[in-house]
Amino acid sequence: MKRCYESEPDGEYRSPVYGVRAVPVEKVVANSYNPNVVAPPEMRLLELSIWEDGYTMPCVCYYDAANDRYELVDGYHRYLVLKTSKRIYERERGLLPVAVIDKDLSDRMASTIRHNRARGTHNIELMSEIVAELTRAQMSDQWIMRHIGMDRDELLRLKQITGLAALFADREFSLGDADEEAVGETAEAFLQP
């Protein structure tokens, strides 16, 4: 099994990330075995992250030379963002950053699962503490929701976990749209002894 797509002159192993390529997204195809699913709120957050920070992680692909195409091993949702977000597609000029691995199908499947499982899940307590820190730094609820990709219900739940009273002290809770009156009533009811 070849350990990298392009070998070093001295025969030393070189991680694929050191050879990232800008590949036209039309040459990239999804694999048929990725079990990873991302919910719509997380997809919106991924699109926002790529818009705000750019592509900071390449997709991982296998290059199929016979068909001159790149089959995804990891990064399907980053690829999907480029294909579906007009603003990102235009800014990136239709090019997807790709790190290439040269493995047979079964090894590619294992790689896909490893990549997915290695990411883990969000720690609720940590996310609650981040919300608390941002609130203490006087970031508005709207700012938190927009920059962290939360909806109003998630923000309220995370504030409740860390101690709702302290996070709402000295200011009126506001989500900034038509539902704010109902949510404000919910927050007031929760604060009642």
Side-chain angles (χ1 to χ4, degrees):
M1 176 178 81
K2 195 171 167 185
R3 297 271 306 169
C4 61
Y5 189 74
E6 296 172 358
S7 61
E8 288 290 292
D10 61 5
E12 290 290 316
Y13 174 75
R14 184 172 185 230
S15 290
V17 74
Y18 296 111
V20 174
R21 305 169 185 189
V23 174
V25 72
E26 294 78 19
K27 285 189 166 195
V28 180
V29 296
N31 66 46
S32 60
Y33 51 83
N34 189 352
N36 192 18
V37 176
V38 174
E42 283 74 21
M43 279 300 294
R44 287 190 296 275
L45 179 58
L46 178 60
E47 196 272 349
L48 175 63
S49 174
I50 293 170
W51 178 249
E52 293 289 331
D53 303 320
Y55 277 91
T56 58
M57 292 177 54
C59 293
V60 179
C61 291
Y62 166 77
Y63 179 62
D64 175 3
N67 296 304
D68 189 29
R69 67 180 189 178
Y70 294 79
E71 181 182 286
L72 283 163
V73 173
D74 182 64
Y76 172 75
H77 296 98
R78 282 170 271 150
Y79 153 81
L80 194 59
V81 165
L82 185 64
K83 287 188 62 117
T84 60
S85 173
K86 183 178 179 189
R87 66 182 184 167
I88 291 175
Y89 182 91
E90 289 174 355
R91 184 189 68 194
E92 301 294 326
R93 297 181 309 277
L95 299 173
L96 186 69
V98 167
V100 176
I101 61 172
D102 187 15
K103 295 184 173 188
D104 64 28
L105 180 59
S106 60
D107 285 325
R108 293 195 309 267
M109 292 174 83
S111 292
T112 295
I113 302 304
R114 279 195 305 275
H115 279 86
N116 289 343
R117 298 209 48 188
R119 277 189 276 275
T121 59
H122 290 293
N123 178 303
I124 296 298
E125 289 82 20
L126 179 58
M127 287 301 294
S128 298
E129 284 305 313
I130 290 169
V131 166
E133 277 298 313
L134 290 172
T135 302
R136 284 191 285 272
Q138 300 180 351
M139 296 293 124
S140 71
D141 296 328
Q142 288 296 329
W143 189 96
I144 293 170
M145 288 187 298
R146 185 174 30 139
H147 287 88
I148 297 185
M150 292 182 181
D151 63 31
R152 65 184 60 83
D153 293 333
E154 182 180 15
L155 179 60
L156 181 58
R157 282 191 304 274
L158 291 173
K159 283 188 170 193
Q160 289 170 339
I161 289 168
T162 56
L164 187 65
L167 294 177
F168 288 102
D170 302 324
R171 63 192 198 121
E172 186 175 316
F173 179 66
S174 174
L175 296 174
D177 65 19
D179 292 334
E180 79 182 320
E181 188 174 308
V183 173
E185 292 169 6
T186 303
E188 289 174 26
F190 187 80
L191 289 170
Q192 301 283 327

